Amino acid sequence: MPVYWGIAGYPVSHSLTPRLFSLVGEHLGMTAAVPVFLEAKGIDEFASLVDELEGEFWVSCTAPLKHSPQRRLGVSGPDGVDAINQLMRKDGAWSGTSTDGVGFVAACRHIGIEPRGCVLRMRGGGSAARAIAAAWASDGGLIIPEEGRRPLVSGPWDSAVIEDGDARIGIDLDTAPAGGESSPLDAEIQVSISYGDGATVDEFGVIMVTAQHLEAWKLLFAPERVGELPSLSLLLENLSTTG
């Protein structure tokens, strides 16, 4: 049982993650942890804040902290993704994983889009893009990469990359955090993983952050309690009815 759980990065004041921790924790009968928002623009600031929190600590990391834990805390990201967005400190040792990709796939399934054989047009090449590319390809999807601030580098998704086609779904991963606007892409529908204050549970960004949070419980925080976790639909419903 953690003493603290929450979110770290910058900006984080809009983040729903501490509420999601509390909602899932309440569902499982875990209500004693203290929610925290750690505003940190770098790993040194993060480490300084975390050093003040004694005991077990569960945290989701957003930009600009997704790469630093690998070097500073010795936690390795998935193959090709090379980034972390979920961290756990237990008995003084850190472990972590990335749930951006599996959360994106789960959110797509929630809105009725199955990856297998489906074309995703995606702009960007950062950690979220690599995580999404890996998960989409793993589940049989195809990817049309569009270069943004960074290109999508070679990785486990290479065999899924195509040059052109009719995209069922598009996503601009160069969108600014906290509700930044996406550039339009040639796709049947376009979604965004960015959300700001006042976002509703109908927005894809909220669906995705909720989905990836559930995946973090499954993969890292409480894998022994997978069968007891709420469904994505139930967690979204609970999120919509709490302030």
Side-chain angles (χ1 to χ4, degrees), residues 6 16-18 20 36-37 49 53 59 64 66 84 115 118 121 126 131 139 143 146 164 171 176 183 189 200:
L16 295 170
T17 296
L20 290 169
V36 293
F37 290 80
L49 292 170
L53 305 177
V59 62
K66 292 186 179 182
I84 298 293
C118 183
R121 188 180 295 274
D139 279 14
I143 303 163
E146 290 199 359
D164 201 8
I171 185 166
S183 297
I189 66 168
T200 70

Side-chain angles (χ1 to χ4, degrees), residues 105-204:
V105 168
C108 285
R109 288 185 167 129
H110 181 79
I111 65 170
I113 298 177
E114 178 62 39
R116 184 160 300 279
C118 183
V119 178
L120 166 67
R121 188 180 295 274
M122 182 175 71
R123 175 180 287 128
S127 59
R130 297 193 302 274
I132 288 171
W136 196 256
S138 177
D139 279 14
L142 301 171
I143 303 163
I144 301 174
E146 290 199 359
E147 186 169 341
R149 291 195 303 268
R150 288 165 289 185
L152 181 66
V153 298
S154 179
W157 48 82
D158 286 352
S159 62
V161 172
I162 59 176
E163 292 186 2
D164 201 8
D166 295 326
R168 173 75 173 90
I169 184 170
I171 185 166
D172 176 13
L173 293 164
D174 284 345
T175 302
E181 292 188 9
S182 300
S183 297
L185 297 171
D186 183 10
E188 187 176 332
I189 66 168
Q190 184 165 342
V191 298
S192 173
I193 65 173
S194 183
Y195 68 92
D197 289 324
T200 70
V201 296
D202 297 323
E203 295 182 35
F204 187 86

Side-chain angles (χ1 to χ4, degrees), residues 14-52:
H14 68 288
S15 178
L16 295 170
T17 296
R19 278 174 60 193
L20 290 169
F21 265 121
S22 296
L23 287 170
V24 177
E26 183 178 348
H27 184 86
L28 297 180
M30 301 166 61
T31 58
V34 177
V36 293
F37 290 80
L38 302 182
E39 287 208 334
K41 296 181 180 179
I43 189 64
D44 290 338
E45 190 173 4
F46 171 77
S48 177
L49 292 170
V50 169
D51 284 347
E52 297 177 4

